[in-house]
Amino acid sequence: RRETAALLDTGLLRDLGSRGAPWHPTSSVRTVHRTGAPAMLKLSLALRITNSRRENLRKELHRGVEVHSLLRTGLSQQWRAAHPGFDIVRDPAWVAVNAPDGDPVPGLDAVIRHNPFRPHDDVVCVAGLVSPRPRPGGGAMRSRLAEIITRLAARTGRPPGAVAAEWFLRYLEHVVRPVLWLDAAAGIALEAHQQNTLLLLDADGWPAGARYRDNQGYYFRASRRAELDSRLPGIGEHSDTFVPDAVTDERFAYYLGVNNVLGLIGAFGSQGLADEALMLAAFRRFLTEVRAGPARNRGTVPARLLDS
């Protein structure tokens, strides 16, 4: 980039080179982790991965800080009181460079991301959990999900389908219900597809909690602007996060309902772990129960997934 090269040539930017202990990529590739460090780093990567060039935008950096501040207004305590096993991986700070004219210098922004995970935690990105992977010594590829269900079935003496059904129901409680609660209670929808969902497993491999990660993927409902502004005055001014409710419903239903849950059901079925029709029936019962519950807990998405 000529503009960045010029800043280096004039000495306004200096390359400090490599130093310090190594960092390692996580499942998000450009978020790097170091065991024992209190923070992770989300770096810019000038490559197109899936649907976009993976460089941090300034509004996304503001968005991460804004959500962290919003949760600290008391919303996090309410959420964790209802669902203690779920939280958002926070992005409370960032560093970046502006050119002399005040414009952001692309590619040099870095998010300071909180590291909530301990060395012994078994935490896995759901997209990685369901993906078939090579096995040591060769042979047919299997997903870690298949390995977990097979091992639980062998240890408990129960049919794999029954184990898979229980595993799925626990997943709905630990992942889907908390995300629906945040939308209903606060008007904040998460872009909770499988890549953004980090599942915490207990020692036996059952779902025990989850974390959402992505400082880009938030939708504040326009209908809740006044309520959110009363929590955090000026919210949305720099982050461009408020979205019409109809758009929020469409995106949220896709990310959480189709990509995440139906994708998980598809993995159970295609890998021969469970009957998809039974899983779909279980998901329908779950959504029906949420829709019939208190208005403050149900929102609009369960009905959309059931009826449209």
Side-chain angles (χ1 to χ4, degrees):
R1 284 173 167 153
R2 286 176 296 177
E3 297 84 355
T4 308
L7 294 173
L8 287 163
D9 291 341
T10 58
L12 290 174
L13 278 179
R14 285 188 296 128
D15 183 353
L16 299 179
S18 302
R19 61 184 65 201
W23 295 73
H24 303 278
T26 63
S27 57
S28 69
V29 184
R30 64 190 178 114
T31 298
V32 294
H33 170 272
R34 191 172 72 196
T35 300
M40 298 179 279
L41 304 174
K42 182 179 181 181
L43 309 172
S44 283
L45 188 63
L47 294 171
R48 183 173 292 278
I49 300 176
T50 62
N51 64 336
S52 65
R53 190 180 177 97
R54 296 297 168 170
E55 291 186 304
N56 294 320
L57 301 178
R58 196 59 61 89
K59 68 178 181 179
E60 297 165 355
L61 307 182
H62 286 295
R63 190 175 295 156
V65 175
E66 191 172 71
V67 170
H68 174 64
S69 300
L70 181 63
L71 290 170
R72 294 182 73 185
T73 63
L75 181 58
S76 177
Q77 289 89 333
Q78 292 176 252
W79 194 11
R80 289 186 66 81
H83 301 284
F86 196 97
D87 203 354
I88 289 172
V89 178
R90 310 296 180 84
D91 296 316
W94 49 272
V95 292
V97 175
N98 284 345
D101 62 6
D103 289 338
V105 179
L108 300 182
D109 314 73
V111 174
I112 312 299
R113 172 167 284 179
H114 178 229
N115 177 18
F117 305 116
R118 299 161 295 182
H120 62 272
D121 283 341
D122 189 356
V123 56
V124 58
C125 171
V126 173
L129 178 73
V130 303
S131 298
R133 57 185 184 175
R135 302 170 72 181
M141 295 199 301
R142 296 186 81 200
S143 69
R144 188 170 180 214
L145 177 66
E147 294 169 357
I148 289 171
I149 298 302
T150 302
R151 185 173 66 248
L152 285 169
R155 202 184 75 248
T156 61
R158 298 163 61 196
V163 171
E166 181 179 344
W167 196 100
F168 179 63
L169 291 174
R170 294 194 190 194
Y171 183 89
L172 293 177
E173 290 298 323
H174 285 290
V175 176
V176 180
R177 195 183 292 273
V179 175
L180 291 173
W181 183 95
L182 185 64
D183 176 48
I188 302 171
L190 304 180
E191 201 168 282
H193 53 59
Q194 290 189 356
Q195 291 167 271
N196 283 343
T197 304
L198 305 177
L199 184 64
L200 287 160
L201 300 170
D202 69 15
D204 295 321
W206 297 104
R211 300 290 182 271
Y212 172 79
R213 65 110 191 272
D214 189 7
N215 64 341
Q216 299 166 247
Y218 300 98
Y219 299 89
F220 296 164
R221 290 184 178 274
S223 64
R224 310 291 285 273
R225 182 185 284 270
E227 177 186 336
L228 289 169
D229 191 73
S230 69
R231 286 185 176 273
L232 190 67
I235 189 171
E237 287 180 8
H238 302 292
S239 66
D240 189 28
T241 310
F242 281 98
V243 178
D245 282 36
V247 176
T248 302
D249 282 345
E250 185 269 327
R251 303 273 176 89
F252 193 32
Y254 167 71
Y255 287 123
L256 181 65
V258 178
N259 182 299
N260 194 322
V261 179
L262 296 188
L264 176 59
I265 292 172
F268 274 116
S270 65
Q271 296 173 31
L273 302 173
D275 183 338
E276 286 188 31
L278 295 178
M279 293 288 197
L280 288 167
F283 188 33
R284 175 170 286 279
R285 282 196 302 273
F286 170 82
L287 292 171
T288 301
E289 180 223 321
V290 174
R291 183 173 63 174
R296 66 181 181 275
N297 293 339
R298 64 172 179 256
T300 55
V301 167
R304 182 183 180 94
L305 289 170
L306 285 166
D307 300 331
S308 70

